[in-house]
């Protein structure tokens, strides 16, 4: 199916690895012109080169931290009026909420709530004026089923989710949609490192840890960043214009609630 977005311009944040990279690849396969950001240049340039080689689309790279105003300005300078915006940043570290200070919270809010909100604020009005816009926030399955040690993520992402629900409706009549994509367990670099740490704490191998976690996923496997990217690309399509203000889980059936 042609998604009808060839030649559209997209900003994909935190796109050198993992889920952001998967979204970037899937959009490029649909002919979308990309501006990609990440904090380090090496993996970012490698990803950009791979996408150019595989798809032939133009890819601009910006080394920038999405949690900072300077980083967001640098990305917006490279692509001031995107048709598609994919917000993403690394998730906050797990921990015990008793140890978190106001500064700990502000860092999490900057990365996973206020950063995305600022990017939406900077890009949405030109989308409305052009009569086309697709905004996707990469959040987490933890929005629907919070995980105790991920309190910073649960709190910051819940704030973004509530904000998006409020602003998505007034802009829908302009063919501007805003949805959140909620990953379950996807085997990205971050998850591999976390799993290796958990395995060594328990004195088991990383393979045994992976098998144990896979048993708890109805699909029987971890997700792949390209599975995730494919859903993102569809939500950015011309055809998805009637889907807005949704929280779409990509988790292999792990969330067991009906809604
Ligand atoms: P990852 O570590 O594999 O990749 C993260 C990418 O983001 C890297 O390219 C990194 O350079 C970049 N990055 C991180 N912080 C950034 C920032 N502030 N500014 C710019 N670039 C930044 O991570 P991932 O697994 O792809 O996760 C992406 C998001 O999805 C995270 O917020 C994570 O918490 C969330 N998430 C992931 C999973 C999963 O299973 N992978 C599950 C739930 C939620």
């Amino acid at each position: 199916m042609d998604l009808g977005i060839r030649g559209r311009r997209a900003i994909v944040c935190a796109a050198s690895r993992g889920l952001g990279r998967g979204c970037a690849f899937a959009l490029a396969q649909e002919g979308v012109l990309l501006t990609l950001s990440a904090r380090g240049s090496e993996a970012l340039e490698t990803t950009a080169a791979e996408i150019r080689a595989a798809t032939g689309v133009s890819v601009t790279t910006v080394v920038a931290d999405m949690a900072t105003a300077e980083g967001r300005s640098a990305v917006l300078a490279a692509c001031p009026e995107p048709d598609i915006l994919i917000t993403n940043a690394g998730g906050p570290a797990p921990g015990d909420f008793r140890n978190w200070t106001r500064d700990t919270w502000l860092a999490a809010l900057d990365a996973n709530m206020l950063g995305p909100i600022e990017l939406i604020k900077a890009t949405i009005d030109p989308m409305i004026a052009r009569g086309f816009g697709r905004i996707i926030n990469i959040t987490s399955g933890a929005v629907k089923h919070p995980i105790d040690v991920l309190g910073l993520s649960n709190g910051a992402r819940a704030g973004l989710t509530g904000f998006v629900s409020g602003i998505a409706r007034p802009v829908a009549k302009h063919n501007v949609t805003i949805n959140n994509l909620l990953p379950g367990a996807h085997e990205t670099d971050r998850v591999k490192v976390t799993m290796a740490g958990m395995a060594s704490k328990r004195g088991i191998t990383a393979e045994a840890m992976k098998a144990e976690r896979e048993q708890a996923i109805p699909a029987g496997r971890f997700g792949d960043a390209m599975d995730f990217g494919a859903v993102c690309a569809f939500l950015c399509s011309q055809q998805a214009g009637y889907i807005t203000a949704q929280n779409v889980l990509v988790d292999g059936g792990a969330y067991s609630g009906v809604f």
Side-chain angles (χ1 to χ4, degrees), residues 13-21 37-40 43 64-68 88-92 111-112 138-142 153 157 182-191 213 222 225 228:
C13 301
S16 60
R17 292 195 170 88
L19 303 178
R21 181 180 181 280
S37 79
R39 288 172 303 182
D65 184 340
M66 288 304 97
T68 68
N88 185 28
N112 300 115
I138 299 179
T139 65
S140 174
S153 171
R157 297 190 202 276
L182 284 51
H186 291 258
E187 199 176 8
T188 60
D189 289 352
R190 167 185 158 276
V191 166
R213 286 201 59 193
F222 275 81
F228 191 84

Side-chain angles (χ1 to χ4, degrees), residues 31-58:
V32 174
L33 317 178
L34 298 176
T35 298
L36 307 183
S37 79
R39 288 172 303 182
S41 73
E42 201 180 326
L44 181 62
E45 291 309 333
T46 303
T47 289
E50 287 167 353
I51 293 176
R52 287 185 199 107
T55 65
V57 302
S58 132

Side-chain angles (χ1 to χ4, degrees), residues 92-97 100 142 145-154 194 198:
D96 182 333
F97 72 91
W100 297 333
H145 51 108
I147 300 163
D148 57 358
V149 294
L150 294 181
L152 292 166
S153 171
N154 301 336
T194 317
M198 287 160 69

